[in-house]
Amino acid sequence: MRIPTTTYRIQFTPQFGFENARAIAAYLADLGISDLYASPIFQARFGSTHGYDVVDAARLNSELGTTEEFEALVSELQSLGMGWLQDIVPNHMAYSSENHYLMDVLEHGPDSDYTDYFDLSWNVPFGDRQERILAPLLGDFYGVSLEKGDIRLQYAQTGLTVNYYSLKLPLRLESYTKFLTYNLGKITRTLGRNHPDFIKLLGILYILKNVPSEVVGKQRQDQIAFIKGLIWELYNTNDAIHEFIEENLKIFNGEVGNSDSFNLLDELLREQFYRLSFWKVGAEEMNYRRFFTVNELISVKVEELRVFNNTHSLIEKLVEEGKFTGLRIDHIDGLYNPLQYLERLREKMGDVYITVEKILELTEDLPENWQIQGTSGYDFLNYVSGIFCQTENQSAFDKIYHAFIGSRVDYASLVKDKKHLILEKNLAGDIDNLSILLKNISSKYRYGNDFTLNGLKRAIAEVLTLFPIYRTYITSDGISDSDRACIQEVIRQAREQVPLLQNELTFIEKVMLLEFDDSLTQTEREQWIYFVLRMQQYSGPLMAKGVEDTTLYVYNRLLSLNEVGGNPSHFGISVADFHAFNQKHQATWPHTMNATATHDTKRGEDLRARLNVLSELPEEWEQQVNTWSYLNQDRRSDRHGFAMPDRNDEYFLYQTLVGAFPFDDREQSSLVERVKDYMIKAIREAKVHTAWLRPDSEYEEACASFIEKVLDPSISGQFLEAFRPFQQRIAYYGMFNSLSQTLLKATAPGVPDFYQGTELWELSLVDPDNRRPVDFEQRRAYLSAIREQLKTDILGLIRELLNHKTDGRIKLFLTAQVLKARTDYFSLFQEGDYLPLEIKGTHADRIIAFARRQGNQTAIAIALRFLTSLIQPGDDPLGEAVWQDTHLQLPNGTSSAWKNVLTEQTLQATGTLSIGIALAHFPVALLVSAE
């Protein structure tokens, strides 16, 4: 197995394809990256900017380049000794006209060869639900869209389709008869009954009416293709038939303003295997499983072996050929049976590096029976960020926040409320489906016969709302102790919350724990198991939408803590907990990924590092934020005595501005639009005053106007004069947090992952802001210059970098130097023990240090934090004059001779090491013992 030394995440887009990646491969290798970590590169919807809306996993995305360009990229990486870690998407595909598997299902219904590909109500065992598959893709109500002429019938070589802008859905074969027989008398009179082409048309109608129902699969496909071919031939060779079809299209498509003229098309649409509807319908009525609450992403039944084999055929081929050297599994918790999937994947792919996107709560562990190398790194992200938050100031920040917004907020209660909101507004249809399934089970059970559908729905909702983790992993093979304890605790809490549903909750507990009665038949036991595995697929989406995509935009005490996989009720992480986390990783998941930014994070890693500085300055932050609000009070809008934005959104905005304000004045021109776009997304996600389902344009416009005004020097010069000095001060200290975070990521147990562009300062907001183009030419030039100066005067280079910190080269220098060390001491960092180091002296709480040891080789990483009360802005935290008597205890049995591989300076130390000496030239240190 090839274990990456370092990964670098690239977001492939139509504007940045295989050729672009090949052009930067040598730069990445020079930086010290061992493996390209690619966003999904399989055929996606046209114009996809992320690749997760796959339409065919068995083909490369043609918008990213040709097969030859892909091969050239692979060859370039291999010539540089680099690997390829590929992000794959087993859970879902795009609900799109380009998805030919899905279009086949919508055209042929249950007779399609691909019905079992998708998680449809048609496929639910123990039930008989054959209603039309929902297509909630309209931008307005169905009737309105129809009569506005937005839904139109069209004809082409592929047949008759229903078109709604770019959406194109096929008509079932039976509908051709209705279309072709309409006004048939006219073409009869035009051609005459004996005309050969008219006879052909009658023959086609006869075939259409008499396709045997027992004809299925390939034979049916061939017959349909034959019929469509005959119609297309007549359409192209006979002007009268061409005119007949075109005229029928015009008639069926109706006349705007004449409601009755749309009856024909309406009747035709009601015959289909799908039901076009307003996209909001999907929130309350749903008969296919989605990715979270995204109607445009339909879930795949990858648990079906045929589906697994088909969707992984190209991946397997590229792994076998050595082109993919690792796989990252997207949204593992969405799968019906993650353990089964991972076992099949391991069997198919062999001894290849595998990580999963798995959100773990702070004290939650990965299942030990998963045959993987670890996670994609969100757990590390929250731990490493948390140690830069000054935990002792939690109470002060509670008071500041509550005073500013004018109310007290309890995080746990807020989470529960927002999860209930998502269940009611976004997942109501999905919960209905679970309730129906449980009702079918309970009706066959003596003690559950009286349960009502409403009671079961309320009980299920309460259980899912109280789930403290993304999901459990109960299967027919049994239940782990941790999952059992989780279920029991959730049920205990639910009984307290809804005491009137005691019996329903007891039954749910019994089912979830698979406590079968002896009287149950094998079929009934399988029905219980199906419900449990199904239930587990919905706790994750609820956590994601209720917490990450709602609560984290409402609970704004300190935004650096509001991150994917984070829990902002924990005001930071202790150094002891950080060390314990790393020791656990080294013992159990030594090759897991360590991330500090991803394509999904709420804000850039250096923006987060800035905001953590605020935790050190509660009194000053309170004074500043209240001053800003006072200065900007006239910039807010008023609606019936209610000020817009509200105080909570205003508090969110000020933190965002502190974090996102660029170093380079040239970037400020784009800041206003970026922050406006971000703010609209944030307040919609918060779902307080506006939402995706019910946008409030007045509130949104008021927020956008507020941002424009406060960032306009001609209007808000007084605010900016007050804001900028404080913001620049926070940004200064934030740079040191960022350097420390980079060092810790690159030296802790695991594989450090760098999101594209983060080798310089990364102040992006949430997607799509974090997918803006990266200036790789600038980075290449910076690195080349650094490499040249390293050869002659490293200390002079470091002084220059320290004097020009804001251009980001200092972070690039650190990244290159620490990654070189990871390569030079490969085994030490990949396999070495993790030893927390004791710090003593005046400033002990400002230092984080640990050793990595393997045999006689030891490396020591030294990072710093909490500098606002140690140095003034403009000063550097270097030397013994700053650090005084602060020192660390060296591990027993280590050499007295050390080399700082960042500065290439040597030093002597026995027993203890002075922090001032270790940090004589650079703000962090990586020492390696002499051989």
Side-chain angles (χ1 to χ4, degrees), residues 368 426 567 586 619 643 757 783 815 860 873:
E368 294 178 357
N426 298 85
N567 185 332
Q586 182 56 36
E619 294 84 4
L783 183 60
T815 302
I860 293 176

Side-chain angles (χ1 to χ4, degrees), residues 31 742 754 759 810-820:
L31 182 60
T742 300
F754 290 80
E759 59 270 37
I810 192 169
K811 187 181 181 188
L812 179 63
F813 165 82
L814 171 61
T815 302
Q817 289 293 84
V818 74
L819 294 188
K820 181 178 184 300

Side-chain angles (χ1 to χ4, degrees), residues 732-733 735-736 802 805 867 870-878 882 923:
Y732 186 80
Y733 293 115
M735 288 188 285
F736 294 109
L802 286 168
K805 288 190 254 325
L867 300 182
L870 181 68
I871 59 170
Q872 292 299 310
D875 293 341
D876 293 318
L878 305 178
V882 171

Side-chain angles (χ1 to χ4, degrees), residues 337-340 342-343 366-372 473 475 477-478 480 483 589:
N337 189 337
L339 175 61
Q340 178 198 68
L342 291 172
E343 288 174 344
L366 266 179
E368 294 178 357
N369 57 352
W370 285 9
Q371 299 178 39
I372 60 174
Y473 300 97
T475 70
D477 293 328
S480 68
D483 283 350
W589 306 102

Side-chain angles (χ1 to χ4, degrees), residues 122 138 504 529 564 628 694 850 884 900 907:
W122 295 349
L138 302 180
E504 287 87 345
I529 293 166
V564 177
W628 302 340
R694 47 171 184 79
F850 56 79
Q884 300 176 28
N900 187 337
L907 54 91

Side-chain angles (χ1 to χ4, degrees), residues 294-308:
V294 184
N295 295 345
E296 294 85 356
L297 296 175
I298 184 169
S299 294
V300 175
K301 285 178 67 68
V302 76
E303 63 270 21
E304 298 291 333
L305 190 57
R306 185 173 81 102
V307 179
F308 174 86

